[in-house]
Amino acid sequence: ITAWVCNKSESAGLKTILKKGAGANEETYGVYFDQPAILTNPATLRFQFKDAAGTPFGDNSTAAGVIPDQWTHVAVTYDGSQVRFYTNGSTLGAVRDLGQTSAQGGESLRFGTNVDIPGQNFVGIMDEIKIFSKTLQNNDVFNEYNAFKPTGNPGDPAWQC
């Protein structure tokens, strides 16, 4: 999963980038960022899912990288046992070993909205959201980032939103 996001949240906590399913018993997977209480600080990414037995699993990135009021390319890859987090084409912290297999279901896919917890709705702008049928490798994520990145470097005016 990759997306360009511009975080304009004015409250702490989880914010939904995308979520498949709704309700405590129906969420198949979700990608979020976890906004810290000091809103000017970068947020971590979170990936959570349920396995085939319905057991929930999830983990946060070990480093923060979603900058408020700035375009950030985020990516989360999951190969059935390990999750990797990326911002702006680079790995964000350590590989996280979840050791489970994600369930697949026919639930609705929602972007930016958590119908169960409205306080987790995304506030900002999203673009170029992509869900892949294969696990992206580091170079694939980097290529996705480079394909649509603004001119200049993060922090330059073109990156502001």
Side-chain angles (χ1 to χ4, degrees), residues 15-67:
K15 305 300 173 192
T16 306
I17 295 173
L18 66 84
K19 180 179 177 182
K20 185 169 173 58
N25 297 322
E26 296 182 17
E27 180 180 37
T28 304
Y29 63 86
V31 177
Y32 308 82
F33 66 86
D34 195 355
Q35 181 66 50
I38 300 173
L39 300 178
T40 55
N41 288 349
T44 58
L45 290 174
R46 177 165 183 78
F47 175 67
Q48 59 190 41
F49 66 93
K50 289 188 178 176
D51 69 8
T55 306
F57 294 90
D59 208 347
N60 282 32
S61 59
T62 58
V66 180
I67 310 296

Side-chain angles (χ1 to χ4, degrees), residues 2-156:
T2 66
W4 281 95
V5 299
C6 175
N7 171 18
K8 295 212 174 260
S9 177
E10 295 184 1
S11 63
L14 289 179
K15 305 300 173 192
T16 306
I17 295 173
L18 66 84
K19 180 179 177 182
K20 185 169 173 58
N25 297 322
E26 296 182 17
E27 180 180 37
T28 304
Y29 63 86
V31 177
Y32 308 82
F33 66 86
D34 195 355
Q35 181 66 50
I38 300 173
L39 300 178
T40 55
N41 288 349
T44 58
L45 290 174
R46 177 165 183 78
F47 175 67
Q48 59 190 41
F49 66 93
K50 289 188 178 176
D51 69 8
T55 306
F57 294 90
D59 208 347
N60 282 32
S61 59
T62 58
V66 180
I67 310 296
D69 298 315
Q70 177 177 295
W71 283 108
T72 305
H73 185 260
V74 298
V76 177
T77 65
Y78 178 66
D79 65 5
S81 65
Q82 293 183 321
V83 62
R84 288 177 173 83
F85 300 96
Y86 300 83
T87 58
N88 294 337
S90 298
T91 305
L92 185 62
V95 173
R96 311 296 282 180
D97 188 3
L98 297 181
Q100 302 293 327
T101 301
S102 177
Q104 297 297 316
E107 300 87 3
S108 297
L109 181 63
R110 293 176 173 85
F111 299 96
T113 303
N114 187 335
V115 296
D116 305 311
I117 308 171
Q120 291 184 358
N121 289 347
F122 179 84
V123 177
I125 308 165
M126 290 190 275
D127 197 9
E128 298 295 328
I129 301 167
K130 297 181 181 181
I131 301 170
F132 295 86
S133 61
K134 66 173 189 160
T135 302
L136 298 182
Q137 302 303 313
N138 291 346
N139 64 320
D140 298 321
V141 172
F142 186 74
N143 290 338
E144 284 293 316
Y145 161 70
N146 274 325
F148 295 100
K149 75 176 184 177
T151 58
N153 297 307
D156 289 348

